[in-house]
Amino acid sequence: MSELELHQQLERRIPAGPLGLIVMPSARELGDKVNEYLVSFRREYHNIVEKDPAFEGYQKDDYRMDAECVRFGTGEGKATIRESCRGKDIYIITDVMNHSLTYRMNGFTNHYSPDDHFQDLKRIIAAINGKAERINVIMPFLYEGRQHKRSGRESLDASMMLKELEDLGISNFITFDAHDPRIQNVAPLSGFDNFISPYQFLRVIMHCYPDIVLDKDHFVVISPDEGALDRAVYFASVINADTGMFYKRRDYAHVVNGKNPIVAHEFLGSDLEGKDVIIMDDMISSGGSILDTAKQLKAMHANHVFLCTTFGLFTDGLGRFDKAYADGVFDCCITTNLTWQPAELLSRPWFQVADMSKYLATIIDFFNHNASIASATTPTNKIHELLAKYNRHEASELESRELEETEF
């Protein structure tokens, strides 16, 4: 089914309410692109009767609402929404990992932490004051997602976060590539949707490396640890490739920066000589683990090594990636634009962006109509269609304009 046919299905469904988009400052660039796509969708695809009261405010030039979070000199904050929220279906987009924003407190300049972003999100929800038809939170990087289980006397921060949002009255929580999606068990009666991005990664690889052969004899999908195995197996199965896995041997006698240090990465899989490999994971934090994995793959005589992660955080800077690229450890690193990306990252020759803005805009459009998003949750058919075109040597037809699009 084409993208046009999918969007035409929405014409037969009444929206849950007039669409309102609150873009937090942390997600400004992503939110602006999402807004542009939503405006485009409802002009090009949806032929809604303008006089139908059920579709009041359906086609607009801008769905972003005028909202602001400010800080007092003490560091305390407040949220203000300058237009009515009554009866609207509101989507709040926030990026809790954007550390580029700052605020003044007692004469000092502080950078926003994930905790600061989460507090501002709660302030916005409180400012809506229960007047909206629905409140939907879009948090691509799951706040405290890595603290999802308890080992000894530890806090359960991710559970506390989701429980707080449920108590504040949100209807749906939308995230991407959650570290452990089972966190939704905390709030079983609230909507929780976790989306993945292998389709976008595949498009970028096809565009940048048109000579890649995607089959089990030439391509291997690697999981860098046990936690990423599910997504690697899914991707490999869809493109009919082989799968390999590393497991981390840790030193459980010591704790460094809150975790047990990794002693070595051990590989489980078939011979990799001459094959192209893709390492799939949910995030790059410092990058040490994924670069060590890539180094071992090159030592096994792998051909191209692609690093594909949903979130590129690069918490220890880009220096080690520059050196690893210069040493031939990997060929390309692909991350999505779901979290903030500094200009110096975008300028690196080894870096490519998988743009998720159209995908996210389509998700919002379908949610607003209460339409099924099954094809978005597991886009297997779209990956098969893309592979069929690619394997018919039609990769040249995947021009830059088409590759920027994201379809179901």
Side-chain angles (χ1 to χ4, degrees), residues 256-267:
V256 179
N257 294 328
K259 57 186 178 182
N260 301 108
I262 298 170
V263 176
H265 290 88
E266 305 290 350
F267 180 67

Side-chain angles (χ1 to χ4, degrees), residues 16-255:
L19 177 60
L21 199 62
I22 296 181
V23 180
M24 303 296 286
S26 58
R28 186 72 67 197
E29 184 174 347
L30 175 65
D32 290 347
K33 288 184 178 180
V34 167
N35 177 66
E36 291 174 6
Y37 276 117
L38 287 169
V39 172
S40 174
F41 290 163
R42 298 195 170 187
R43 284 180 178 170
E44 297 178 17
Y45 297 131
H46 304 341
N47 301 312
I48 304 298
V49 179
E50 295 182 2
K51 296 182 180 180
D52 189 338
F55 292 91
E56 180 182 357
Y58 188 81
Q59 292 181 333
K60 298 173 65 176
D61 295 328
D62 195 339
Y63 293 98
R64 293 168 297 182
M65 300 180 64
D66 188 2
E68 182 184 26
C69 288
V70 298
R71 295 278 176 157
F72 300 107
T74 58
E76 299 167 289
K78 73 171 183 178
T80 304
I81 301 177
R82 298 187 180 88
E83 57 185 279
S84 174
C85 299
R86 191 176 297 277
K88 290 186 177 180
D89 188 25
I90 294 179
Y91 295 81
I92 308 172
I93 305 178
T94 183
D95 174 13
V96 297
M97 301 309 293
N98 188 342
H99 62 273
S100 68
L101 303 181
T102 61
Y103 63 91
R104 299 285 291 177
M105 184 179 72
N106 296 317
F108 296 95
T109 298
N110 286 350
H111 283 264
Y112 271 73
S113 71
D115 294 338
D116 292 316
H117 289 301
F118 183 55
Q119 288 300 120
D120 279 351
L121 170 64
K122 291 191 291 183
R123 291 182 178 111
I124 286 290
I125 296 173
I128 293 172
N129 199 22
K131 300 300 192 295
E133 178 67 24
R134 287 193 316 191
I135 300 174
N136 310 274
V137 170
I138 301 173
M139 185 187 290
F141 186 95
L142 184 65
Y143 171 73
E144 295 289 357
R146 285 184 285 184
Q147 191 52 34
H148 61 95
K149 62 182 179 180
R150 175 176 285 156
S151 299
R153 299 182 202 68
E154 293 181 349
S155 57
L156 286 171
D157 297 73
S159 300
M160 293 170 60
M161 176 273 298
L162 199 58
K163 182 61 177 173
E164 278 189 86
L165 293 182
E166 182 190 41
D167 292 342
L168 285 170
I170 72 165
S171 299
N172 294 297
F173 186 89
I174 299 168
T175 191
F176 286 80
D177 214 343
H179 197 67
D180 189 343
R182 290 175 297 182
I183 195 67
Q184 64 186 292
N185 295 337
V186 173
L189 299 183
S190 294
F192 183 100
D193 287 275
N194 179 48
F195 296 94
I196 56 177
S197 48
Y199 177 64
Q200 287 75 17
F201 292 146
L202 190 60
R203 293 176 77 93
V204 174
I205 292 174
M206 287 179 173
H207 177 60
C208 296
Y209 295 84
D211 296 329
I212 291 291
V213 179
L214 297 168
D215 61 30
K216 62 182 178 180
D217 297 322
H218 301 86
F219 202 79
V220 181
V221 182
I222 299 294
S223 170
D225 54 37
E226 310 92 290
L229 185 59
D230 286 348
R231 65 175 68 86
V233 169
Y234 165 74
F235 189 46
S237 299
V238 171
I239 66 175
N240 193 29
D242 204 355
T243 309
M245 187 193 82
F246 282 83
Y247 72 91
K248 300 174 182 177
R249 284 200 294 115
R250 294 183 179 271
D251 178 6
Y252 287 99
H254 300 88
V255 176

